[in-house]
Amino acid sequence: MRSPYRQAIGAIPHTASPDTRPTDTRTASLAYPEDPLLCVIVARTALITGVAGQDGSYLTEALLDSGYVVFGLDRNAAALRRLAELLDGRPDLENVTLRQLDVTDAAAMDDVVASVRPQELYNLAAQSRVDRSYAEPAATHRSIVDGMRNVLEAVRVFAPECRVFQASSCEMFGDSPPPQFEETEFRPVSPYAVAKTMAHQLVAMYRGMYGIYACAGVMFNHESPRRSADFVTRRITQGIALIVAGELDSIPLGNLESRRDWGHARDYVRAMRLMLEQPAPADRVIATGESHSVADFAALAFALVDRDWRAHVSRDPARLRPADPRDFRGNARQMRAIGWTPESSLASTVHEMVDADLKDRGLAPAKRPDQADPPQTSPSQAGPPQASSSQTSPIRVGVSMSAAS
């Protein structure tokens, strides 16, 4: 059975009429393969940008399970190969095509949308790290704002009946106090959040001006074993596996007091699809309604391996952000009104992540949450020892810090 990544070499099928073919010859050669087997589209077709991230991988599986033909785009070739390996062995592998493409390339985006003519498009592509956006504000803007504009323009011109989902972010709310819901004021405090706010407004503009079915899910933090190690939650669970294996003593983190509304990526993928099933497009908050601190997350995770998190976590000032919203807690009342509710608790999500990282290293499985001792996160308790790096210092829980990691 062929790999979906091998399919990606010139494997976008042609369904557009000749007069809609893009004239840019640099991309047209990739869009119209000679293989006639790739020129047949069966069932509903979905196009996913940023397909190789955690959300894209779960979404691809869910759509394939529902009988869709899936075309996935991502700029990261290594991540595409990992996704191809994850999908390898599925009986419906012929229904998925993966291709390396950057959504900031407007001509290439036009080419793909004109060729595929998807019924649904999920725009998950973005530079997704808030911390990196401070060092790379221009690149962050391009990936989020220019990418969203290119997606919407391609749909407007070549697939106006396509339904578009944009992955917006709770970071847009910034310092607005919780709970945050659809009418809460946007107060972005990072280049990432500013760019997401602009992309969010583009969705509303194209919906209003051109009548496109486009909606944005304001997604609060969501995790899984497929979360990148660049994010604090996965850094904690991978670090635990290294500690249990005797390969690491301490995990350096930033602000332990930052509070976030954490869900599971699978639940949020269900929400994306449900939003596109509604008769009319509307922007909605996707959240669990519960807020927990980074310290809470660490305590839950370490309790699953009978370790005291305070003995294995250290504060690294280099991981503090210039600005960091204190508390995100979403009110997903409009999602609940259309039948969505999260199925995974934070405890079960943390368990799944820790267990997966332990198994990846050949270690004993994590305790179930109901078997673990209650985690200790009281601010009155002593902090952990200093990390080995000269740039880190002990955590003093309860002391205000300026940014999260």
Side-chain angles (χ1 to χ4, degrees):
M1 185 175 294
R2 66 182 171 185
S3 161
Y5 189 70
R6 289 198 295 274
Q7 276 185 260
I9 309 303
I12 299 297
H14 170 51
T15 59
S17 59
D19 60 341
T20 63
R21 290 191 181 195
T23 57
D24 190 329
T25 58
R26 292 171 301 175
T27 57
S29 62
L30 290 178
Y32 312 112
E34 297 300 323
D35 185 351
L37 294 178
L38 297 177
C39 298
V40 179
I41 291 184
V42 182
R44 290 187 66 80
T45 302
L47 180 62
I48 307 172
T49 69
V51 70
Q54 71 161 357
D55 294 0
S57 68
Y58 284 114
L59 180 58
T60 298
E61 291 174 330
L63 290 169
L64 289 174
D65 289 344
S66 296
Y68 278 64
V69 172
V70 177
F71 294 87
L73 310 175
D74 204 287
R75 65 182 180 181
N76 189 324
L80 282 170
R81 292 188 187 96
R82 288 193 294 271
L83 177 58
E85 292 171 0
L86 177 69
L87 298 173
D88 195 27
R90 288 187 63 104
D92 50 7
L93 195 61
E94 68 277 4
N95 291 337
V96 58
T97 297
L98 306 178
R99 173 179 171 183
Q100 186 177 6
L101 184 146
D102 192 327
V103 293
T104 62
D105 185 337
M109 200 67 222
D110 285 350
D111 191 16
V112 169
V113 172
S115 302
V116 174
R117 294 289 182 91
Q119 284 84 44
E120 298 174 12
L121 191 155
Y122 299 85
N123 184 42
L124 312 181
Q127 190 293 100
S128 58
R129 287 178 52 185
V130 177
D131 58 340
R132 181 179 292 171
S133 75
Y134 290 103
E136 303 174 3
T140 299
H141 179 95
R142 284 194 300 272
S143 73
I144 295 173
V145 181
D146 293 356
M148 183 76 263
R149 184 195 64 237
N150 292 343
V151 165
L152 290 168
E153 269 295 288
V155 168
R156 181 182 72 84
V157 174
F158 298 110
E161 300 303 316
C162 177
R163 296 189 171 197
V164 179
F165 174 89
Q166 159 66 0
S168 288
S169 170
C170 64
E171 290 286 338
M172 300 186 303
F173 293 123
D175 289 329
S176 287
Q180 295 94 3
F181 48 96
E182 288 78 9
E183 290 77 25
T184 300
E185 180 184 1
F186 292 154
R187 298 179 184 174
V189 298
S190 69
Y192 170 84
V194 170
K196 279 290 188 178
T197 303
M198 293 179 68
H200 186 86
Q201 298 296 347
L202 278 173
V203 170
M205 187 193 84
Y206 272 76
R207 184 171 60 219
M209 288 183 62
Y210 302 116
I212 292 174
Y213 189 113
C215 58
V218 184
M219 303 174 73
F220 282 63
N221 297 63
H222 48 288
E223 315 300 324
S224 77
R226 300 179 189 177
R227 180 60 120 171
S228 165
D230 293 326
F231 291 82
V232 64
T233 50
R234 188 72 193 287
R235 193 181 311 132
I236 289 170
T237 62
Q238 280 194 339
I240 287 173
L242 292 171
I243 289 168
V244 172
E247 301 175 29
L248 185 69
D249 294 324
S250 180
I251 306 171
L253 301 176
N255 185 2
L256 292 178
E257 294 184 327
S258 288
R259 302 187 67 85
R260 296 294 183 263
D261 184 332
W262 278 300
H264 196 294
R266 277 193 304 262
D267 287 336
Y268 286 42
V269 162
R270 284 195 298 106
M272 295 178 199
R273 298 188 62 194
L274 185 60
M275 285 180 64
L276 291 193
E277 292 173 2
Q278 302 311 302
D283 303 332
R284 292 179 167 88
V285 162
I286 305 174
T288 71
E290 297 182 5
S291 177
H292 301 271
S293 69
V294 176
D296 292 336
F297 191 101
L300 282 169
F302 273 96
L304 299 176
V305 293
D306 290 326
R307 303 288 178 112
D308 186 341
W309 72 276
R310 298 165 297 174
H312 296 287
V313 173
S314 58
R315 183 172 69 90
D316 182 356
R319 295 185 181 276
L320 299 177
R321 297 175 184 169
D324 191 23
R326 184 181 299 274
D327 192 0
F328 285 139
R329 176 165 53 87
N331 183 339
R333 58 190 183 185
Q334 290 194 25
M335 283 303 306
R336 286 180 166 81
I338 61 172
W340 179 84
T341 186
E343 296 177 352
S344 297
S345 66
L346 179 61
S348 65
T349 300
V350 172
H351 175 265
E352 185 179 345
M353 295 174 69
V354 173
D355 198 52
D357 282 322
L358 291 172
K359 288 179 179 177
D360 281 347
R361 304 194 70 82
L363 301 169
K367 284 187 171 182
R368 295 198 311 270
D370 60 349
Q371 295 174 325
D373 294 332
Q376 302 296 321
T377 59
S378 171
S380 64
Q381 295 169 327
Q386 185 164 337
S388 57
S389 170
S390 60
Q391 296 181 336
T392 60
S393 59
I395 296 169
R396 294 187 297 276
V397 181
V399 177
S400 178
M401 301 177 191
S402 64
S405 174

Coordinates of all heavy atoms in Angstrom, one line a residue, residues 162-221:
C162 N -17.6 26.2 -0.9 CA -16.8 25.5 0.2 C -17.1 26.2 1.6 O -17.2 27.4 1.7 CB -15.4 25.6 -0.1 SG -14.3 24.9 1.1
R163 N -17.2 25.4 2.6 CA -17.4 25.8 3.9 C -16.0 25.9 4.6 O -15.2 24.9 4.6 CB -18.3 24.9 4.7 CG -19.7 24.9 4.2 CD -20.7 24.2 5.1 NE -22.1 24.5 4.6 CZ -23.2 24.3 5.3 NH1 -23.1 23.8 6.6 NH2 -24.4 24.5 4.8
V164 N -15.7 27.0 5.2 CA -14.3 27.3 5.8 C -14.4 27.4 7.3 O -15.2 28.1 7.8 CB -13.7 28.6 5.2 CG1 -12.3 28.8 5.8 CG2 -13.7 28.5 3.6
F165 N -13.5 26.6 7.9 CA -13.3 26.8 9.4 C -11.9 27.4 9.6 O -10.9 26.9 9.1 CB -13.3 25.4 10.1 CG -13.0 25.5 11.5 CD1 -14.0 25.7 12.5 CD2 -11.7 25.3 12.0 CE1 -13.7 25.8 13.8 CE2 -11.4 25.4 13.3 CZ -12.4 25.6 14.2
Q166 N -11.8 28.4 10.4 CA -10.6 29.0 10.8 C -10.3 28.7 12.3 O -11.2 28.9 13.2 CB -10.6 30.5 10.6 CG -9.6 31.4 11.4 CD -8.2 31.1 11.1 OE1 -7.9 30.3 10.2 NE2 -7.3 31.8 11.7
A167 N -9.1 28.3 12.6 CA -8.7 28.0 14.0 C -8.3 29.3 14.7 O -7.1 29.7 14.5 CB -7.6 27.0 14.1
S168 N -9.2 30.0 15.3 CA -8.8 31.2 16.1 C -8.4 30.8 17.5 O -8.4 29.6 17.8 CB -10.0 32.2 16.2 OG -10.3 32.8 14.9
S169 N -7.9 31.8 18.3 CA -7.2 31.4 19.5 C -7.8 32.3 20.7 O -8.1 33.5 20.5 CB -5.7 31.7 19.4 OG -5.1 31.6 20.6
C170 N -7.8 31.7 21.8 CA -8.2 32.4 23.1 C -7.2 33.5 23.4 O -7.5 34.4 24.1 CB -8.3 31.4 24.2 SG -6.8 30.6 24.7
E171 N -6.0 33.4 22.8 CA -5.0 34.5 23.1 C -5.5 35.8 22.6 O -5.0 36.9 23.0 CB -3.7 34.1 22.3 CG -2.9 32.9 22.9 CD -2.2 33.3 24.2 OE1 -2.0 34.5 24.5 OE2 -2.0 32.4 25.0
M172 N -6.5 35.9 21.7 CA -7.1 37.1 21.3 C -7.7 37.9 22.4 O -7.7 39.1 22.4 CB -8.1 36.9 20.2 CG -7.6 36.1 18.9 SD -8.8 36.0 17.6 CE -10.2 35.1 18.4
F173 N -8.2 37.2 23.4 CA -8.8 37.9 24.6 C -7.8 38.6 25.4 O -8.2 39.5 26.2 CB -9.6 36.8 25.4 CG -10.8 36.3 24.7 CD1 -10.9 34.9 24.5 CD2 -11.8 37.1 24.2 CE1 -12.0 34.3 23.9 CE2 -12.9 36.5 23.5 CZ -13.0 35.2 23.4
G174 N -6.6 38.1 25.4 CA -5.5 38.8 26.2 C -5.9 39.0 27.7 O -6.1 38.0 28.4
D175 N -5.9 40.2 28.1 CA -6.2 40.5 29.5 C -7.6 40.6 29.9 O -7.9 41.0 31.0 CB -5.4 41.8 29.9 CG -3.9 41.6 29.9 OD1 -3.5 40.5 30.3 OD2 -3.2 42.6 29.6
S176 N -8.5 40.4 29.0 CA -10.0 40.4 29.3 C -10.2 39.3 30.4 O -9.8 38.2 30.2 CB -10.8 40.1 28.1 OG -10.9 41.3 27.3
P177 N -10.9 39.7 31.5 CA -11.1 38.7 32.6 C -12.0 37.6 32.2 O -12.9 37.7 31.3 CB -11.7 39.6 33.7 CG -12.4 40.7 33.0 CD -11.5 41.0 31.8
P178 N -11.8 36.4 32.8 CA -12.7 35.3 32.6 C -14.0 35.4 33.3 O -14.1 36.2 34.2 CB -11.9 34.1 33.2 CG -11.1 34.7 34.3 CD -10.7 36.1 33.8
P179 N -15.0 34.7 32.8 CA -15.0 33.8 31.7 C -15.0 34.5 30.4 O -15.7 35.6 30.3 CB -16.2 32.9 31.9 CG -17.2 33.8 32.6 CD -16.3 34.6 33.5
Q180 N -14.4 34.0 29.3 CA -14.4 34.7 28.0 C -15.4 33.9 27.1 O -15.4 32.7 27.1 CB -13.0 34.6 27.4 CG -11.9 35.4 28.1 CD -11.1 34.6 29.1 OE1 -11.3 33.4 29.3 NE2 -10.2 35.3 29.9
F181 N -16.2 34.7 26.4 CA -17.2 34.1 25.5 C -17.2 35.0 24.2 O -16.3 35.8 24.0 CB -18.6 34.0 26.1 CG -19.0 35.2 26.8 CD1 -19.9 36.1 26.2 CD2 -18.7 35.5 28.1 CE1 -20.3 37.2 26.8 CE2 -19.1 36.6 28.8 CZ -19.9 37.5 28.1
E182 N -18.2 34.7 23.4 CA -18.1 35.3 22.0 C -18.2 36.9 22.1 O -17.6 37.5 21.2 CB -19.3 34.8 21.2 CG -19.2 33.4 20.7 CD -19.5 32.3 21.8 OE1 -20.0 32.8 22.9 OE2 -19.3 31.1 21.6
E183 N -18.8 37.4 23.1 CA -18.9 38.9 23.1 C -17.8 39.6 23.9 O -17.7 40.8 24.0 CB -20.3 39.3 23.7 CG -21.5 39.0 22.8 CD -21.8 37.5 22.8 OE1 -21.5 36.8 23.8 OE2 -22.4 37.1 21.8
T184 N -16.9 38.8 24.5 CA -15.8 39.3 25.3 C -14.8 40.2 24.4 O -14.5 39.8 23.3 CB -15.0 38.2 26.0 OG1 -15.9 37.5 26.8 CG2 -13.9 38.8 26.8
E185 N -14.4 41.3 24.9 CA -13.5 42.2 24.1 C -12.2 41.5 23.9 O -11.6 40.9 24.7 CB -13.3 43.5 24.9 CG -12.4 44.5 24.2 CD -12.1 45.7 25.1 OE1 -12.6 45.7 26.2 OE2 -11.4 46.6 24.6
F186 N -11.7 41.7 22.6 CA -10.3 41.2 22.3 C -9.3 42.2 22.8 O -9.4 43.4 22.5 CB -10.2 41.1 20.8 CG -11.0 39.9 20.2 CD1 -11.4 40.0 18.9 CD2 -11.3 38.8 20.9 CE1 -12.1 39.0 18.3 CE2 -12.1 37.8 20.4 CZ -12.5 37.9 19.1
R187 N -8.3 41.8 23.6 CA -7.2 42.6 24.1 C -5.9 41.9 23.9 O -5.2 41.5 24.9 CB -7.4 42.9 25.6 CG -8.7 43.7 25.9 CD -8.8 43.9 27.4 NE -10.0 44.6 27.8 CZ -10.3 44.8 29.1 NH1 -9.5 44.4 30.1 NH2 -11.5 45.4 29.4
P188 N -5.5 41.6 22.7 CA -4.3 40.8 22.4 C -3.0 41.5 23.0 O -2.9 42.7 22.9 CB -4.3 40.7 20.9 CG -5.0 41.9 20.4 CD -6.1 42.1 21.4
V189 N -2.1 40.7 23.5 CA -0.9 41.2 24.2 C 0.3 40.6 23.6 O 1.4 40.8 24.1 CB -1.0 41.0 25.7 CG1 -2.1 41.8 26.3 CG2 -1.0 39.5 26.1
S190 N 0.2 39.9 22.5 CA 1.4 39.3 21.8 C 1.3 39.4 20.3 O 0.2 39.6 19.8 CB 1.6 37.8 22.2 OG 0.5 37.0 21.6
P191 N 2.4 39.4 19.6 CA 2.3 39.4 18.1 C 1.4 38.3 17.6 O 0.7 38.5 16.6 CB 3.7 39.3 17.7 CG 4.5 39.9 18.8 CD 3.8 39.5 20.1
Y192 N 1.5 37.1 18.2 CA 0.7 36.0 17.8 C -0.8 36.3 18.0 O -1.6 36.1 17.0 CB 1.1 34.8 18.7 CG 0.1 33.6 18.5 CD1 0.3 32.7 17.5 CD2 -0.9 33.4 19.4 CE1 -0.6 31.6 17.3 CE2 -1.8 32.3 19.3 CZ -1.6 31.5 18.2 OH -2.5 30.4 18.1
A193 N -1.1 36.9 19.1 CA -2.5 37.2 19.4 C -3.1 38.3 18.5 O -4.2 38.2 18.0 CB -2.7 37.6 20.9
V194 N -2.2 39.3 18.2 CA -2.6 40.4 17.3 C -2.9 39.8 15.9 O -3.9 40.1 15.2 CB -1.6 41.4 17.2 CG1 -1.9 42.4 16.1 CG2 -1.5 42.2 18.5
A195 N -2.0 38.9 15.4 CA -2.2 38.3 14.1 C -3.5 37.4 14.1 O -4.2 37.4 13.1 CB -1.0 37.5 13.7
K196 N -3.7 36.7 15.1 CA -4.9 35.8 15.2 C -6.2 36.7 15.1 O -7.2 36.3 14.5 CB -4.9 34.9 16.4 CG -4.0 33.7 16.3 CD -4.7 32.7 15.3 CE -4.0 31.3 15.3 NZ -4.7 30.4 14.4
T197 N -6.1 37.8 15.8 CA -7.3 38.7 15.8 C -7.5 39.3 14.4 O -8.7 39.3 14.0 CB -7.0 39.9 16.8 OG1 -6.8 39.4 18.1 CG2 -8.2 40.8 16.9
M198 N -6.5 39.6 13.7 CA -6.7 40.1 12.3 C -7.2 39.0 11.4 O -8.1 39.3 10.6 CB -5.3 40.6 11.8 CG -4.8 41.8 12.5 SD -3.2 42.4 11.8 CE -3.7 42.9 10.2
A199 N -6.7 37.8 11.6 CA -7.3 36.7 10.8 C -8.7 36.4 11.1 O -9.5 36.1 10.2 CB -6.4 35.5 11.0
H200 N -9.0 36.5 12.4 CA -10.4 36.3 12.8 C -11.3 37.4 12.2 O -12.4 37.0 11.7 CB -10.5 36.5 14.4 CG -11.8 36.1 15.0 ND1 -12.2 34.9 15.3 CD2 -12.8 36.9 15.3 CE1 -13.4 34.9 15.8 NE2 -13.8 36.1 15.9
Q201 N -10.9 38.6 12.1 CA -11.7 39.6 11.5 C -11.8 39.5 10.0 O -12.8 39.8 9.4 CB -11.1 41.0 11.8 CG -11.1 41.4 13.3 CD -12.5 41.5 13.9 OE1 -13.5 41.5 13.2 NE2 -12.6 41.5 15.2
L202 N -10.8 38.9 9.4 CA -10.9 38.6 7.9 C -12.0 37.6 7.7 O -12.7 37.7 6.6 CB -9.5 38.0 7.4 CG -8.4 39.0 7.1 CD1 -7.1 38.3 6.8 CD2 -8.9 39.9 5.9
V203 N -12.1 36.6 8.5 CA -13.2 35.6 8.4 C -14.6 36.4 8.4 O -15.4 36.1 7.5 CB -13.1 34.6 9.5 CG1 -14.4 33.7 9.5 CG2 -11.9 33.7 9.3
A204 N -14.8 37.2 9.3 CA -16.0 38.0 9.4 C -16.2 38.9 8.2 O -17.4 39.0 7.7 CB -16.1 38.8 10.7
M205 N -15.2 39.5 7.7 CA -15.3 40.4 6.5 C -15.7 39.6 5.3 O -16.6 40.0 4.6 CB -13.9 41.1 6.3 CG -14.0 42.1 5.2 SD -12.4 42.7 4.7 CE -12.0 41.4 3.5
Y206 N -15.0 38.5 5.0 CA -15.3 37.7 3.8 C -16.7 37.1 3.9 O -17.4 36.9 2.9 CB -14.3 36.6 3.6 CG -13.1 37.0 2.8 CD1 -12.1 37.9 3.3 CD2 -13.0 36.7 1.5 CE1 -11.1 38.3 2.6 CE2 -11.9 37.1 0.7 CZ -10.9 37.9 1.3 OH -9.9 38.4 0.5
R207 N -17.1 36.7 5.1 CA -18.5 36.2 5.3 C -19.5 37.3 5.0 O -20.5 37.0 4.3 CB -18.6 35.7 6.8 CG -20.0 35.0 7.1 CD -19.9 34.4 8.5 NE -19.6 35.4 9.6 CZ -18.8 35.2 10.6 NH1 -18.2 34.0 10.7 NH2 -18.7 36.1 11.5
G208 N -19.3 38.5 5.5 CA -20.2 39.6 5.3 C -20.2 40.1 3.9 O -21.3 40.4 3.3
M209 N -19.0 40.3 3.3 CA -18.9 40.9 2.0 C -19.2 40.0 0.8 O -19.8 40.4 -0.2 CB -17.5 41.5 1.8 CG -17.2 42.7 2.7 SD -15.6 43.4 2.3 CE -15.8 43.9 0.6
Y210 N -18.8 38.8 1.0 CA -18.9 37.8 -0.2 C -19.9 36.7 0.0 O -20.1 35.9 -0.9 CB -17.5 37.3 -0.5 CG -16.5 38.4 -0.8 CD1 -15.4 38.6 0.0 CD2 -16.7 39.2 -1.9 CE1 -14.5 39.5 -0.2 CE2 -15.7 40.2 -2.2 CZ -14.6 40.4 -1.3 OH -13.7 41.3 -1.6
G211 N -20.5 36.6 1.2 CA -21.4 35.5 1.5 C -20.8 34.2 1.6 O -21.5 33.1 1.5
I212 N -19.5 34.1 1.9 CA -18.8 32.8 2.0 C -19.2 32.2 3.3 O -19.4 32.9 4.3 CB -17.3 33.0 2.0 CG1 -16.9 33.4 0.6 CG2 -16.6 31.7 2.4 CD1 -15.4 33.7 0.5
Y213 N -19.4 30.9 3.3 CA -19.7 30.1 4.6 C -18.3 30.0 5.3 O -17.6 29.0 5.0 CB -20.3 28.8 4.3 CG -20.8 28.1 5.6 CD1 -22.1 27.9 5.8 CD2 -19.9 27.6 6.6 CE1 -22.6 27.2 7.0 CE2 -20.3 27.0 7.7 CZ -21.7 26.8 7.9 OH -22.1 26.2 9.1
A214 N -18.0 31.0 6.1 CA -16.7 30.9 6.8 C -17.0 31.2 8.3 O -17.7 32.1 8.6 CB -15.8 32.0 6.3
C215 N -16.4 30.4 9.2 CA -16.6 30.6 10.6 C -15.3 30.3 11.3 O -14.4 29.6 10.8 CB -17.7 29.7 11.2 SG -17.4 27.9 10.9
A216 N -15.2 30.9 12.5 CA -14.0 30.8 13.3 C -14.3 30.2 14.7 O -15.2 30.6 15.4 CB -13.3 32.1 13.5
G217 N -13.6 29.1 15.0 CA -13.7 28.5 16.4 C -12.6 29.2 17.2 O -11.4 29.0 17.0
V218 N -13.0 29.9 18.3 CA -12.1 30.5 19.2 C -11.6 29.4 20.2 O -12.3 29.1 21.2 CB -12.7 31.7 19.9 CG1 -11.6 32.4 20.8 CG2 -13.3 32.7 18.9
M219 N -10.5 28.8 19.8 CA -10.1 27.6 20.5 C -9.2 27.9 21.7 O -8.2 28.5 21.6 CB -9.4 26.6 19.5 CG -10.2 26.3 18.3 SD -9.4 25.4 17.1 CE -9.3 23.8 17.8
F220 N -9.7 27.4 22.9 CA -8.8 27.5 24.1 C -7.8 26.3 24.0 O -7.8 25.5 23.1 CB -9.7 27.5 25.3 CG -10.4 28.8 25.6 CD1 -11.3 29.3 24.7 CD2 -10.1 29.5 26.7 CE1 -11.9 30.6 24.9 CE2 -10.7 30.7 27.0 CZ -11.6 31.3 26.1
N221 N -6.9 26.3 24.9 CA -5.8 25.4 24.9 C -6.3 24.0 24.9 O -7.3 23.6 25.6 CB -4.9 25.5 26.1 CG -4.2 26.9 26.2 OD1 -4.9 27.9 26.3 ND2 -2.9 26.9 26.1

